Amino acid sequence: MQNATPHEQLAGARRSKSNAFTTLTAFATACAAACAVMLSCAQAHAQIRNPNDHTKYDVELEPHLVYQWANQWWWNDDGIGVGLRASIPVIQNGPVPSINNNLAVTFGVDWAHFDYS
């Protein structure tokens, strides 16, 4: 705006402030909505004092994302991938029968892709 009139410069400044205000308003609205959702959730019910009050399952599958890095002189690269962990319950209500717990054998696999650069 080198050759702009003072009126055009003022209009541009107002437009810039208006865009910043719109962005700030959208951010504040999103934060308020997130807080409202978090505060309106039902209160969590602790089940640990209720023996045998958990869902019965034969296998629990837990997929997850993987990020691995190596910082050695022979291998300096990062990798991203996926993984899966499986838990098989051995004792449904134990080893402490007075609380809600179980004992499971867990195994899993992780795979990460490295760039080799």
Side-chain angles (χ1 to χ4, degrees), residues 10-114:
L10 183 59
R14 284 185 183 151
R15 215 174 305 119
S16 173
K17 287 181 182 178
S18 175
N19 289 343
F21 180 73
T22 302
T23 303
L24 182 61
T25 302
F27 179 72
T29 302
C31 287
C35 288
V37 168
M38 286 187 283
L39 292 175
S40 68
C41 293
Q43 189 175 17
H45 175 70
Q47 296 180 352
I48 194 156
R49 293 191 178 130
N50 302 329
N52 211 18
D53 194 19
H54 56 272
T55 306
K56 303 288 186 267
Y57 58 89
D58 294 326
V59 175
E60 179 181 2
L61 298 176
E62 302 172 7
H64 55 270
L65 296 175
V66 176
Y67 177 72
Q68 293 179 316
W69 67 93
N71 195 15
Q72 290 84 24
W73 62 272
W74 68 89
W75 185 287
N76 192 8
D77 200 7
D78 298 343
I80 189 164
V82 294
L84 180 71
R85 183 152 305 282
S87 300
I88 301 173
V90 176
I91 302 174
Q92 284 290 343
N93 190 31
V96 181
S98 62
I99 62 173
N100 183 25
N101 62 357
N102 66 1
L103 181 68
V105 175
T106 302
F107 56 93
V109 64
D110 293 332
W111 175 84
H113 173 73
F114 288 90

